[in-house]
Each structure stands twice: as C-alpha cells, then as structure tokens.
Amino acid sequence: MSNKIKTFRPILTCIFALLLCLNSSFANDNNDGAVAEPTHEEKFKPTEVIFEHISDSHDWHFWGEHEHAVSLPLPVIIYSDKGFDIFLSSAFHHGTHPYHGKYTYILKNDHIKVVDETEVVDDAATSKIIDFSITKNVASMFISVAIILSLFLSMAGAYKKNGIAAPKGKQSFLEPLVMFVRDEIARPNIGAKADKFLPFLLTIFFFIWINNLLGLLPIGANLTGNIAVTLTLALITFIVVNVNGNASYWKHILMPPVPWWLYPIMIPVELIGIFSKPFALMVRLFANITAGHIVVISLVSLIFIFKSMAIAPVSVAFALFIDVLELLVAFLQAFIFTMLTALFIGSAIEEHHHDDAHAEGAHAKHH
Amino acid sequence: MTVTGSIAAIGAGLAVIGAGLGIGKIGGSAMEAIARQPEAAAKIQTAMIIAAALVEGVALFGVVVALLGNG
Amino acid sequence: MELVTPGIGLVFWTSIVFAILFVLLAKFAWKPILGAIKEREQSIEDALASAEKAKEEMKTLLSNNERILTEARAERDELLKDARDIREKMIAEAKGLATKESERLLQAARENIQNEKMAAITELKNQVAVLSIEIAEKILKSELSSDEKQKSLVNNLLQDVNLN
C-alpha cells in the first residue's frame, strides 16, 4: 500500500505544481490585462449561472468571473477540411481574443466558431468544423477513469496477493458493491448467462456512479448530466442488447403474438420500443443528474437573488440536504441504468415462449 | 412582482404532476405490499424502483420537450 | 435546446474512453476479482458441506454410542439377572443338600442309638442271665449244702407235685 502511495506522490505533486503555476500565471495575466473591471452592479441572472455550471466548457473554471477567472486551460482540438488545429484554450483569453489557426476561431458562449477577417461569425465554415477538444467533461472523464482504474486494479492486486482470504481495506468496501451488481442486478435479470455480461454491467455501473459522485464535487464537471455522454452509454447498451438478441427476441418483434391483422400496428410499436428503451435510459440519467445540479445551484443562487446574507443559512441548509439526497440519487441512477440494461439484456437473450409471458401476467394479476 | 417564464415551464410542471402521481401510487402500493409481506421486501423494492424509473422516464420526456421548447 | 444537443466531440471521447476502460477493467480487474470471489464462495461452500458432513457423522456416531450404551446396559441387566438366578439356585441347592444331609445324619444317629440300645439290652440280658445262673448256683449251693435242706427241698417239690 505505502509503496503505491509513494509512487503516486510525485505524480500528484506534479499535478498540483502545474495547477498552481497555471493559476498564478493567470492571475498575473489578469492583473496585467488592460480590460476595465466589470461593473459589480451587474444584475444577477440565475439562469445564466446555472447553465454555465451544467454546460461543458473549454477551460476548467475554478473561481472568479470573466477576466478575473482562475481556470485551467484545456487543449482545443478542431478538425476541419484543412486538417487538425490543436492549441490551448488559454489562447482565447476567456473568449476575449480570437485564435488564428487554419481558420480564425473565437470562443462564443463556450462554443468555438469560425470567423472571417472582420470577426463576423461564418456559419457555413463553423458547421464544417468538428470540435474534438479535451473539454472540462472529457478531462473529468479522464480523471474518473484514472480513479476507477487505480481503485480496481489495486483491488485486483489485493486478490492476487491475499488469494481467497477475507477481504480487507479497499477490498472490503468495493467487494460488496461488486457482489451487489452481480447478485442484485445481473443474476436476477439475466439468469444463467449473467456472468458473461457481468464485466460490462460492472464497468457501466462504476463509470456512472463515480462520475455522478465527481459531478457533485464543488468544481466538478456535469459529465453524467451531459446528453452526449448519456447518449453514448445508451448507444452502447443498445448495441449490446441487440447484438446479443436471440431468435425469439427478434421473433417477438417481427412476429408479435397477436392476430396477423394487428401486425401493421404492433411491428412499428415493437420497433419503436427497441429505440425508446435506450432513449429513456439516456434521458433519465441526463435529466436526473442535471436536475440535481440545477436544484443545488438554484438554492445557492437564492443568496444572490435576494442579495442578503440572512438567506445564506437557509439556502446552505437546503443545498446541503439536496446534496445528500444527490449522493443517494448518484447511486440510484447508476443502479437503475445498470438494472435496466441488465433487464433489456435479459429479455433479449431469454429463451421465452409467449405462453409463459401470458402465464406470468396472469400470475401477477393473481397476486 | 411580475410573472416571467415560458409556456414550456408549465409543460414541465404538468409532466412533474403526472410523474408525482404515478410514483406516489407506486411507492404507496409498494409500502402496502411490504407491510403485507415483509419477507418479500427486497423483491418488491426492486420492482418498485423499476416501475418508478419507467414512470419517471415518461415524465422526463416531457421535461426534455420543455427544454427543447425553451431554446 | 442546447442542453439536449449532444456534442460530437464528447460522444467520440466517451466512446473511446469507455471502450478502453471496459477492456482494461475486464482483463485486469473484473477477471481476477470475480474469479477470486467465485473461488472464495466455492471454498466456503465446500467448507460448509464438509461441516455438514462432519455433523452428520457426529450424529451417527452419537446414535451409535447411544445404541452401544443401551446394549451394554441391557447386557449388564441380563448379567445381573443371571447372577441373581444362579445365586438363588445355588442357595436353594445348598439348602436342599443340607437338609438331606442332616436328615441322613439324624437317621444314622437314630439307627446307631437303636443298635447301641439293642446291644446294651443284649449285654444286659446276658449279664442278667450270668448273674442269675451265678445266683442260682449260689442259692443251689447254699440250699443243697446240708442233707436236711436237700430233704426239705425234695419234700417241697414233692409236695408241689400233685399226683394227679
């Protein structure tokens, strides 16, 4: 254990040193800036603040506003018909300066746009570029992956060392979670072939859960509350379910157990069902996590809306309560996503007969 | 004080009413079921969470549509 | 609207990162972890099964012991009963023998006494006879010592004799 910490320590030190350098360099930069101080009497717009917090960004913002912002610049990678443009987002100076690469880019509302010589947004050229930047969300995802890998690789190492002895340390915390996914999610919903899908379910569960938790941290990114991420996860589930779907799964969709004259209605319904399930997965995770973030920030925003310190204890108390609730939601949403994925996989690989399904319905009614 | 906002917000609110009723019904029935059969609590809870997630999914579609409308 | 429009860049990075994460975890984490858990469960199951078996054996052993003990107790009772029977029989036999012996002895004693008595009577008779003869001799001698006496005797005798 201690050896590992020792090997990690220089890396951590480097990261913190880097952060400090960047922060101080920015601070200097900002002080040297010729831009006038923003007016403090500017009206507080909660919607803007909230949307800024739940949206992706090209630099990792810590504190301060506009020209006084202290943030970690992230790499911008833009693919266009002229090739790749790679530069740090600090080149935009928080959106105040354009960057001259293969095209001229500006940062507008955290979106990179192409401009012409007169700094007017060129929509035609903008639609042609693809933004592959390491945004705040991508960086947060890298961090989460590093955390997940270090957790589970060291856990696997502990198993190699301890063999089948009773779990200890990190093992005893993570093992029940692994067992939970196996015994409460995978096996009851998938059945005999559960262990084949277990690595996928475990990965998706811990990926969502760890990212949900990271999102709750004060400067964390709203990764699992981003539609692109949940879309990708849902897409992966969609592929896994349909690639593993067996003959009876497809038969149920293309030849549903209804009279033939209902086929024109039932087949489209079943086909829509294939897509609506992962779509619901995508929207559920996105909306739950985003809603949680919005509620927390809204509660904190109350202080600024009322412009009174007196409201602070109330709003902090409520925000704390919601934050604790969000800890539960973070787990619950990871659980539900994994659970429904397991359920869909289970129904796709199950060797079911239609009579059974009806008998089950009657059984349920009987209860 | 003036009332501001969009019609989409009303839509989102209506979706929330539906989801609230649905999830409340599911939760209440699950409680009754657990009270009747405490030994089946784990199974009932799992089924309850799945049913609640499905109801919530429909409500979230409403929220997403509201967000789409909000621009 | 912007909130629900997925960015291609993030979709791309998420796919790549998730794929890499899945491959790494599946190979280097889930395989050993799930393997070890399964192995442990197997060993616990085996241990439980063997404990159950041992318990079963213990039970049979206990019931065996019980059976042996019952048997031993029964045997002991049997032995005791036998011993008691033998003792009673022996006592009865000894009693019978003693009675017979004593009777025999009594009989012998009685016979002896009878014989002794007879012998004594015979002896006495003989003695009496001898004594009577001697007395008679003496009397005769004294009776017949003088002529007068002989004459008187003859007279007496002759007197007794009736000439019928």
Side-chain angles (χ1 to χ4, degrees):
Chain A
M1 279 305 279
S2 61
N3 285 341
K4 265 184 193 148
I5 290 170
K6 265 177 202 157
T7 54
F8 274 126
R9 195 168 289 156
I11 303 171
L12 285 174
T13 318
C14 284
I15 290 170
F16 280 116
L18 186 69
L19 277 175
L20 285 174
C21 284
L22 288 166
N23 283 352
S24 53
S25 75
F26 264 96
N28 290 337
D29 220 12
N30 294 334
N31 290 343
D32 295 342
V35 192
E37 290 244 320
T39 49
H40 285 291
E41 296 311 309
E42 203 179 341
K43 195 176 182 317
F44 178 74
K45 289 177 191 142
T47 325
E48 247 171 49
V49 173
I50 289 167
F51 271 72
E52 189 201 316
H53 275 87
I54 59 176
S55 309
D56 203 355
S57 165
H58 280 89
D59 51 13
W60 200 315
H61 181 223
F62 297 111
W63 57 79
E65 277 181 59
H66 303 293
E67 289 70 33
H68 292 274
V70 174
S71 57
L72 179 70
L74 297 165
V76 176
I77 303 167
I78 290 172
Y79 178 75
S80 63
D81 51 347
K82 290 186 190 168
F84 281 103
D85 259 326
I86 300 170
F87 54 95
L88 271 183
S89 68
S90 52
F92 289 122
H93 296 270
H94 302 286
T96 53
H97 292 57
Y99 173 80
H100 302 284
K102 294 195 169 75
Y103 285 100
T104 304
Y105 309 103
I106 59 157
L107 192 64
K108 195 177 168 194
N109 296 332
D110 257 318
H111 283 273
I112 289 170
K113 310 265 187 197
V114 176
V115 291
D116 54 20
E117 290 77 29
T118 53
E119 295 210 357
V120 175
V121 175
D122 181 353
D123 283 324
T126 303
S127 64
K128 263 188 265 173
I129 63 164
I130 304 172
D131 187 357
F132 286 115
S133 303
I134 309 293
T135 58
K136 185 183 174 185
N137 277 342
V138 179
S140 168
M141 185 155 54
F142 289 164
I143 293 172
S144 76
V145 165
I147 291 171
I148 294 170
L149 282 178
S150 77
L151 272 180
F152 288 102
L153 293 185
S154 72
M155 185 186 172
Y159 279 104
K160 272 190 198 127
K161 207 174 74 187
N162 293 352
I164 59 165
K168 51 185 171 186
K170 217 179 292 170
Q171 268 178 300
S172 51
F173 172 65
L174 293 171
E175 195 188 298
L177 291 166
V178 174
M179 302 284 279
F180 172 76
V181 174
R182 193 190 70 176
D183 296 338
E184 304 295 325
I185 298 177
R187 288 191 175 167
N189 291 308
I190 300 178
K193 289 178 189 157
D195 288 11
K196 186 184 150 197
F197 295 97
L198 201 48
F200 169 65
L201 293 173
L202 283 166
T203 310
I204 214 158
F205 176 81
F206 285 104
F207 182 79
I208 294 174
W209 188 44
I210 299 286
N211 276 307
N212 283 348
L213 291 178
L214 286 179
L216 289 176
L217 292 177
I219 52 167
N222 181 27
L223 182 69
T224 39
N226 189 298
I227 197 93
V229 174
T230 61
L231 169 78
T232 314
L233 293 176
L235 209 60
I236 293 167
T237 293
F238 172 79
I239 292 167
V240 169
V241 168
N242 288 292
V243 164
N244 287 293
N246 59 13
S248 82
Y249 168 73
W250 290 111
K251 188 175 168 250
H252 196 276
I253 290 162
L254 301 174
M255 283 186 281
V258 290
W260 62 269
W261 47 268
L262 274 174
Y263 279 13
I265 306 167
M266 281 309 286
I267 292 175
V269 166
E270 294 277 358
L271 284 176
I272 290 168
I274 299 179
F275 296 99
S276 76
K277 284 174 188 172
F279 185 75
L281 278 184
M282 166 183 92
V283 173
R284 180 176 303 110
L285 184 57
F286 153 75
N288 269 288
I289 302 305
T290 301
H293 286 238
I294 291 176
V295 171
V296 171
I297 305 165
S298 302
L299 285 168
V300 176
S301 296
L302 283 180
I303 304 170
F304 303 98
I305 292 170
F306 287 101
K307 286 185 184 136
S308 152
M309 273 305 270
I311 202 86
V314 180
S315 106
V316 167
F318 273 101
L320 180 66
F321 170 71
I322 295 294
D323 249 335
V324 173
L325 197 69
E326 283 302 304
L327 283 178
L328 175 71
V329 170
F331 182 83
L332 199 66
Q333 290 307 320
F335 166 65
I336 287 178
F337 196 105
T338 319
M339 179 82 165
L340 290 174
T341 300
L343 204 66
F344 299 155
I345 293 174
S347 69
I349 65 163
E350 186 189 14
E351 294 291 340
H352 62 128
H353 307 289
H354 302 313
D355 302 342
D356 286 359
H358 291 295
E360 214 168 85
H363 190 63
K365 216 173 276 173
H366 181 253
H367 274 286
Chain B
M1 197 172 168
T2 53
V3 177
T4 54
S6 66
I7 199 90
I10 297 175
L14 287 174
V16 167
I17 292 177
L21 286 175
I23 294 175
K25 186 93 177 64
I26 291 164
S29 307
M31 288 291 165
E32 271 173 31
I34 292 173
R36 203 167 294 154
Q37 275 181 293
E39 69 278 1
K43 276 187 177 175
I44 294 169
Q45 268 165 4
T46 311
M48 175 189 80
I49 289 174
I50 292 174
L54 294 176
V55 170
E56 190 201 47
V58 176
L60 291 173
F61 289 159
V63 173
V64 169
V65 171
L67 282 173
L68 283 169
N70 216 9
Chain C
M1 186 68 194
E2 189 205 310
L3 211 54
V4 285
T5 315
I8 295 170
L10 199 47
V11 170
F12 167 78
W13 284 113
T14 312
S15 320
I16 293 204
V17 166
F18 190 84
I20 293 171
L21 182 70
F22 173 68
V23 170
L24 286 181
L25 284 181
K27 193 159 182 203
F28 299 113
W30 304 136
K31 216 172 144 200
I33 290 171
L34 292 172
I37 290 175
K38 197 173 263 181
E39 207 176 310
R40 173 164 354 112
E41 275 175 344
Q42 194 59 49
S43 82
I44 289 172
E45 216 163 274
D46 289 351
L48 279 177
S50 65
E52 193 65 29
K53 219 174 112 196
K55 212 165 112 190
E56 206 65 31
E57 267 169 19
M58 200 69 197
K59 213 185 254 171
T60 29
L61 217 65
L62 269 178
S63 73
N64 263 359
N65 275 354
E66 193 78 8
R67 195 171 49 77
I68 288 169
L69 213 65
T70 330
E71 275 176 9
R73 217 170 273 142
E75 207 169 337
R76 188 196 63 184
D77 287 351
E78 189 81 6
L79 279 176
L80 276 175
K81 195 168 149 266
D82 279 2
R84 211 176 288 129
D85 285 358
I86 288 169
R87 189 188 67 184
E88 269 162 21
K89 216 168 105 193
M90 274 172 76
I91 291 171
E93 254 171 32
K95 249 186 206 158
L97 270 178
T99 323
K100 223 181 253 171
E101 185 65 16
S102 65
E103 258 167 26
R104 197 181 57 82
L105 281 175
L106 273 174
Q107 191 64 35
R110 223 173 271 136
E111 267 169 24
N112 238 2
I113 290 165
Q114 196 67 30
N115 286 350
E116 291 291 313
K117 203 168 100 187
M118 291 307 284
I121 289 170
T122 319
E123 183 81 16
L124 203 64
K125 268 184 188 162
N126 288 345
Q127 289 279 342
V128 169
V130 171
L131 279 174
S132 310
I133 291 169
E134 273 175 10
I135 291 164
E137 211 176 72
K138 272 170 188 167
I139 293 166
L140 280 177
K141 269 179 187 162
S142 62
E143 287 291 314
L144 300 173
S145 53
S146 60
D147 288 348
E148 294 105 46
K149 279 183 184 177
Q150 283 176 0
K151 273 180 204 161
S152 81
L153 185 63
V154 171
N155 284 339
N156 276 346
L157 286 172
L158 284 171
Q159 257 177 341
D160 284 348
V161 178
N162 290 346
L163 288 166
N164 37 355

